[in-house]
Amino acid sequence: MEQPDLDVSVIDTRLAAAKDASRRLARASTAEKDAALEQVAVLLAERSAEIIEANALDLEAGRTAGLGSGLLDRLTLDERRVAALSDAVREVIGLTDPVGDTVSGRSLPNGVRIDQIRVPLGVIGAIYEARPNVTIDIAVLALKSGNAVVLRGGTAAEQTNRVLLRVLRDALDAAGLPADAVQTVDDFGRAGARHLMQARDYVDVLIPRGSAGLIRAVVDEAKVPVIETGAGVVHMFLDESAREDWAVDLVHNAKTQRPSVCNALETLLVHVDAAERLLPPVLARLEASGVTVHGDDRVRAIRPEAQPVTDEDWATEHMSLDISVGVVDSLDDAMAHIRRYSTKHTESIVTNDLGNAERFLNEVDAAAVMVNASTRFTDGAEFGFGAEVGISTQKLHARGPMGLPELTSTKWIVRGAGHVRG
Amino acid sequence: MEQPDLDVSVIDTRLAAAKDASRRLARASTAEKDAALEQVAVLLAERSAEIIEANALDLEAGRTAGLGSGLLDRLTLDERRVAALSDAVREVIGLTDPVGDTVSGRSLPNGVRIDQIRVPLGVIGAIYEARPNVTIDIAVLALKSGNAVVLRGGTAAEQTNRVLLRVLRDALDAAGLPADAVQTVDDFGRAGARHLMQARDYVDVLIPRGSAGLIRAVVDEAKVPVIETGAGVVHMFLDESAREDWAVDLVHNAKTQRPSVCNALETLLVHVDAAERLLPPVLARLEASGVTVHGDDRVRAIRPEAQPVTDEDWATEHMSLDISVGVVDSLDDAMAHIRRYSTKHTESIVTNDLGNAERFLNEVDAAAVMVNASTRFTDGAEFGFGAEVGISTQKLHARGPMGLPELTSTKWIVRGAGHVRG
């Protein structure tokens, strides 16, 4: 955890090396890139013991520093998890390489031919926290799409990430691609992260992954463009006409199937005319799975054992078995509540009313809007992307689950035969 | 030019009104939006005298402030230019509305249906300088694509823009759409512009249009995501195998057809083995059109009357009848020069060598890369987009000429029938 004085020239040397390497990666064939990824999978398996040993040092430091059990769990790599990482790399090998795809193309009236082709972004800066699996995950997705990557994985996983970095660089080297396509600024602490966020000459995009606080900090400090993969204060609205069986199943699945992820349900809104019919079975099912209900006055009139909900609860991504529940007077009131508290990740309605379904889908502003489906479906794997870089909650470049194409840009190729503009 | 103390709450009220209005615009049908644009065209014609009168005040203030003739020309609106503005609005009416387009869609294996649909970005902040035609231009493109817009057009065109703002707002009102979809922060001076750039709660994207300095300032100060429409230090490389007639025509067209725009040629590089063959006819044709040649030593050995080129010249977007010319030893040297000085707008090669053409197209990193075509083709109208929001020189969201689809985002519509995730 030593944090030396920041030597900007050393960081810039690394970033420049990443930029250089990115040009080679951009020209690499899919076969070359896949060979490097296969090496990553092989080396992860071969060096499993070394990785777990380094991880033990991080875990020990984490325990000493008093990290919570959730964080320690995310930090942990054991034999099974390293093997899973290796398997995940092989899954990325199986994905379609987007580089070189023609997005659009035509001949202009004068005979000039224009084609819009997918090209790598260049250098991706990945900023994340204490999850060493993300090191492999993001680096492998970046390399498959022809990008170089600069990693900032935080001090809590420093020892583990150092070994994983070596795995990635050795794999590139073994496959005849430049090791410099994977870099770290972890040894420069926060100052290094800050420098990475400002390095517009070298870094094409920043992808922060982690807590809302981390993402906000990156957005605030960055001069390099950011793809926000944001938090999810996810709502479900039970309309007057909602089927009881669907309401019970959908709320239960969205809340409990995996409560610690961004597409898990946080707030349930119920139409006043359906509250007496739907709340008792819906809340009973949740409580049977250990969910703590935080309800407004009208909810507690029906379900007195619920905790009172606070203003802060409405704005909170619990990521735990807690749910905020409110009764609203109309679809418009439900949408107004969502507008106020939504993080624009995933919003859903349960209804049998076609007009209300269409209004909700059209008028609610979020990366994903759903009718009669669990919010847990907002996911790259579920959407059929094969792998997921994250879920973008911004509107530029990418919105919703991001796959490999979202790690590319395009360029226009223009072919003439001495054509001039008249 | 009065610049009152900044009352943030007044600006925020306007931005919040724009955000509210953007929701109505997002739901507006193409017919509703086109009706508003038709009103803009009508009111521009009806109020032509009023617009020109206000413009005369700006011009007078500009002359007093010592603005150059180029700036004064861009600031000027006369009867002919107002009529042309009105015609341009009607052309936008004729464009296809991208909102609601399905970008992709499929049924998941479990029967859940997902569709990715184009939606407006929301609120666009437009920051530009002293060109009142941009006020109409950007507002009309924003409205056609279902967005609200907040304008910051600079003090030099303040009087003109005030009248044009009224035209836009009255047109919306006449068409039954909210006038608040068009706002200005011009009456708050630089502090207002700064506030606009930071207003992440209200503004979805900033589009700066103007000088390199303006764009850099926006990138530096903005917290809201920016689409950079950058300067063009545009290169053309005459390879050893370049045809003389094409070289002469392409260089001449790229440099002289409209020297003040971003896709005009700034730097010519010539392969050493083609210099004696190509430079005399190419430079003679340029000089005959009044172009001043700034050459390196090897150019001046062939063409002694050329000015010496400076390091600064290589990095300069002249926007005038000046050209920097250098001799290089190889394709690699040409690409290294381009890498160093390119603003990643448009780069071109003139060659008859297939291998070199492919290497140039693949390896040069720019929004548009060309072989045997004039760089003047990098243009929304030439590309068949009908209208152009600007030419993006960044890699995220949009790259190259931007049309209406680039003023949209997408959202995922998910339709289930009680589907839960297993």
Side-chain angles (χ1 to χ4, degrees):
Chain A
M1 298 248 273
E2 79 277 28
Q3 197 153 316
D5 281 347
L6 182 66
D7 184 344
V8 163
S9 72
V10 176
I11 303 186
D12 277 345
T13 302
R14 282 193 206 162
L15 298 182
K19 190 81 181 167
D20 270 347
S22 77
R23 282 197 289 277
R24 174 69 182 91
L25 259 287
R27 296 197 309 271
S29 67
T30 305
E32 286 179 295
K33 294 182 286 188
D34 285 348
L37 298 193
E38 176 58 29
Q39 279 300 313
V40 174
V42 166
L43 292 180
L44 280 172
E46 280 183 14
R47 301 187 190 169
S48 184
E50 188 191 342
I51 293 163
I52 293 163
E53 212 169 292
N55 190 246
L57 297 175
D58 284 331
L59 286 170
E60 199 184 307
R63 273 183 222 103
T64 308
L67 290 190
S69 62
L71 271 173
L72 284 172
D73 179 57
R74 285 187 213 168
L75 185 54
T76 303
L77 287 184
D78 53 23
E79 214 165 312
R80 193 180 53 81
R81 286 186 179 180
V82 174
L85 261 183
S86 184
D87 290 346
V89 175
R90 291 212 168 86
E91 272 176 40
V92 173
I93 293 174
L95 297 180
T96 303
D97 180 357
V99 173
D101 280 3
T102 302
V103 176
S104 70
R106 71 185 70 94
S107 288
L108 303 183
N110 59 8
V112 169
R113 170 87 205 163
I114 64 172
D115 289 288
Q116 187 181 27
I117 305 287
R118 279 205 188 283
V119 296
L121 285 168
V123 178
I124 295 172
I127 300 179
Y128 52 100
E129 292 170 321
R131 291 181 58 184
N133 61 311
V134 173
T135 302
I136 296 296
D137 200 26
I138 192 84
V140 158
L141 291 166
L143 294 172
K144 174 82 185 196
S145 49
N147 295 288
V149 64
V150 182
L151 303 163
R152 156 65 181 170
T155 44
E158 204 175 7
Q159 303 294 336
T160 317
N161 283 338
R162 195 171 293 166
V163 179
L164 295 176
L165 181 80
R166 217 149 48 219
V167 164
L168 290 161
R169 290 177 58 98
D170 289 351
L172 283 164
D173 200 42
L177 289 173
D180 280 342
V182 181
Q183 302 282 353
T184 182
V185 294
D186 266 339
D187 41 342
F188 295 98
R190 276 178 192 280
R194 206 152 33 232
H195 190 73
L196 173 64
M197 292 187 239
Q198 315 264 341
R200 288 179 62 90
D201 287 344
Y202 301 117
V203 183
D204 294 286
V205 60
L206 294 175
I207 303 182
R209 279 180 63 171
S211 67
L214 173 97
I215 291 160
R216 204 166 32 241
V218 172
V219 167
D220 280 349
E221 290 194 38
K223 295 278 177 252
V224 174
V226 178
I227 299 180
E228 263 182 88
T229 59
V233 176
V234 168
H235 298 78
M236 190 173 276
F237 170 54
L238 307 181
D239 191 23
E240 195 182 346
S241 64
R243 271 176 60 164
E244 181 186 320
D245 53 345
W246 288 6
V248 169
D249 287 348
L250 290 171
V251 172
H252 182 261
N253 184 262
K255 179 70 246 179
T256 68
Q257 200 246 352
R258 201 171 165 204
S260 67
V261 292
C262 59
N263 57 20
L265 182 63
E266 301 296 351
T267 295
L268 175 67
L269 302 172
V270 187
H271 192 285
V272 62
D273 293 334
E276 299 222 16
R277 174 172 67 89
L278 295 176
L279 277 179
V282 165
L283 299 185
R285 177 79 180 277
L286 286 175
E287 285 163 1
S289 292
V291 175
T292 302
V293 174
H294 306 256
D296 68 8
D297 290 347
R298 290 194 281 187
V299 171
R300 297 176 74 220
I302 294 167
R303 199 82 181 168
E305 52 279 52
Q307 307 283 321
V309 69
T310 66
D311 257 12
E312 210 190 320
D313 283 328
W314 298 125
T316 299
E317 185 178 22
H318 296 104
M319 306 202 112
S320 61
L321 285 174
D322 291 83
I323 191 167
S324 308
V325 186
V327 171
V328 293
D329 290 323
S330 64
L331 172 62
D332 281 301
D333 284 359
M335 294 197 295
H337 180 105
I338 290 170
R339 200 151 57 231
R340 176 155 175 207
Y341 293 106
S342 170
T343 54
K344 303 188 176 178
H345 186 298
T346 301
E347 306 299 349
S348 59
I349 184 172
V350 184
T351 186
N352 194 41
D353 185 291
L354 182 62
N356 287 356
E358 292 303 312
R359 275 199 65 200
F360 191 92
L361 294 176
N362 285 327
E363 295 179 28
V364 172
D365 183 23
V369 286
M370 301 186 169
V371 55
N372 297 332
S374 170
T375 58
R376 291 278 295 119
F377 284 116
T378 305
D379 177 270
E382 292 291 322
F383 275 21
F385 299 169
E388 183 183 283
V389 178
I391 295 176
S392 165
T393 52
Q394 67 179 28
K395 291 186 181 173
L396 286 193
H397 186 72
R399 199 174 193 205
M402 293 190 290
L404 288 174
E406 281 70 35
L407 292 184
T408 65
S409 180
T410 57
K411 73 177 175 189
W412 288 95
I413 305 277
V414 179
R415 297 168 196 269
H419 286 81
V420 297
R421 183 161 165 191
Chain B
M1 298 253 273
E2 80 277 28
Q3 197 152 313
D5 282 347
L6 183 67
D7 185 344
V8 163
S9 72
V10 176
I11 302 186
D12 277 346
T13 302
R14 284 195 204 161
L15 298 182
K19 191 82 181 167
D20 270 348
S22 77
R23 283 197 288 277
R24 175 68 182 91
L25 259 288
R27 297 198 308 272
S29 67
T30 305
E32 285 180 294
K33 293 182 285 189
D34 286 347
L37 298 193
E38 176 58 30
Q39 278 301 312
V40 174
V42 166
L43 292 180
L44 281 172
E46 281 182 13
R47 299 186 191 170
S48 184
E50 189 191 341
I51 292 164
I52 293 164
E53 212 169 293
N55 190 245
L57 297 175
D58 284 331
L59 286 170
E60 198 184 308
R63 271 185 223 103
T64 308
L67 290 191
S69 63
L71 270 173
L72 284 172
D73 179 57
R74 285 187 211 166
L75 184 54
T76 303
L77 287 183
D78 54 22
E79 214 165 309
R80 193 181 53 81
R81 287 186 179 179
V82 174
L85 261 183
S86 183
D87 289 346
V89 175
R90 292 213 167 87
E91 270 176 41
V92 173
I93 293 174
L95 297 180
T96 303
D97 181 356
V99 173
D101 280 3
T102 302
V103 176
S104 71
R106 71 186 70 95
S107 288
L108 303 183
N110 59 9
V112 169
R113 169 89 206 163
I114 64 172
D115 289 289
Q116 189 182 23
I117 304 286
R118 280 207 187 284
V119 296
L121 285 168
V123 178
I124 294 171
I127 301 179
Y128 53 100
E129 293 169 319
R131 291 180 58 184
N133 61 310
V134 173
T135 302
I136 296 297
D137 200 26
I138 193 83
V140 158
L141 291 166
L143 294 172
K144 175 81 185 197
S145 49
N147 296 287
V149 64
V150 182
L151 303 162
R152 156 64 181 169
T155 44
E158 204 176 8
Q159 304 294 337
T160 317
N161 283 339
R162 192 171 295 165
V163 179
L164 295 176
L165 180 82
R166 217 150 48 219
V167 164
L168 291 161
R169 291 176 58 98
D170 288 352
L172 283 163
D173 199 44
L177 289 172
D180 280 341
V182 181
Q183 301 282 353
T184 183
V185 293
D186 266 338
D187 42 341
F188 296 98
R190 278 179 189 281
R194 209 154 29 235
H195 190 72
L196 173 63
M197 292 187 236
Q198 315 265 341
R200 287 180 63 90
D201 287 345
Y202 300 117
V203 183
D204 293 286
V205 61
L206 293 176
I207 303 183
R209 280 181 62 172
S211 67
L214 173 98
I215 291 162
R216 206 165 33 241
V218 172
V219 167
D220 279 350
E221 290 194 38
K223 295 277 178 255
V224 174
V226 178
I227 299 181
E228 263 182 87
T229 59
V233 176
V234 168
H235 299 77
M236 189 172 278
F237 171 53
L238 307 181
D239 191 23
E240 195 183 345
S241 65
R243 269 175 61 163
E244 182 187 319
D245 55 344
W246 289 5
V248 169
D249 287 350
L250 290 171
V251 172
H252 182 261
N253 184 261
K255 179 70 245 180
T256 68
Q257 201 244 352
R258 200 172 166 203
S260 66
V261 292
C262 59
N263 58 19
L265 181 63
E266 302 296 351
T267 294
L268 174 67
L269 301 172
V270 185
H271 192 285
V272 62
D273 293 335
E276 299 221 18
R277 176 173 65 90
L278 295 177
L279 277 179
V282 166
L283 299 186
R285 176 79 181 278
L286 286 175
E287 285 163 2
S289 292
V291 175
T292 302
V293 174
H294 306 255
D296 68 9
D297 290 346
R298 291 195 280 185
V299 171
R300 295 177 74 218
I302 294 168
R303 199 81 181 167
E305 51 280 51
Q307 306 283 322
V309 69
T310 65
D311 258 13
E312 209 190 321
D313 282 329
W314 298 126
T316 300
E317 185 179 21
H318 296 105
M319 307 203 112
S320 60
L321 285 173
D322 290 84
I323 190 167
S324 310
V325 185
V327 171
V328 294
D329 291 323
S330 64
L331 172 62
D332 282 302
D333 284 359
M335 292 197 297
H337 179 104
I338 291 170
R339 199 152 56 232
R340 178 155 174 209
Y341 293 106
S342 170
T343 53
K344 303 190 175 175
H345 186 297
T346 300
E347 306 299 350
S348 59
I349 184 172
V350 183
T351 187
N352 194 41
D353 185 292
L354 181 61
N356 287 357
E358 290 304 310
R359 275 199 64 201
F360 191 93
L361 295 175
N362 285 328
E363 295 180 29
V364 172
D365 183 24
V369 286
M370 301 188 168
V371 55
N372 297 333
S374 170
T375 58
R376 290 278 295 119
F377 284 116
T378 306
D379 176 272
E382 291 291 322
F383 276 21
F385 298 171
E388 182 183 282
V389 178
I391 295 176
S392 166
T393 53
Q394 67 179 28
K395 291 187 181 172
L396 287 192
H397 186 70
R399 198 174 194 206
M402 295 190 289
L404 288 174
E406 282 69 35
L407 293 184
T408 65
S409 181
T410 57
K411 73 177 176 189
W412 288 95
I413 305 278
V414 179
R415 297 168 195 269
H419 287 81
V420 297
R421 183 161 166 190

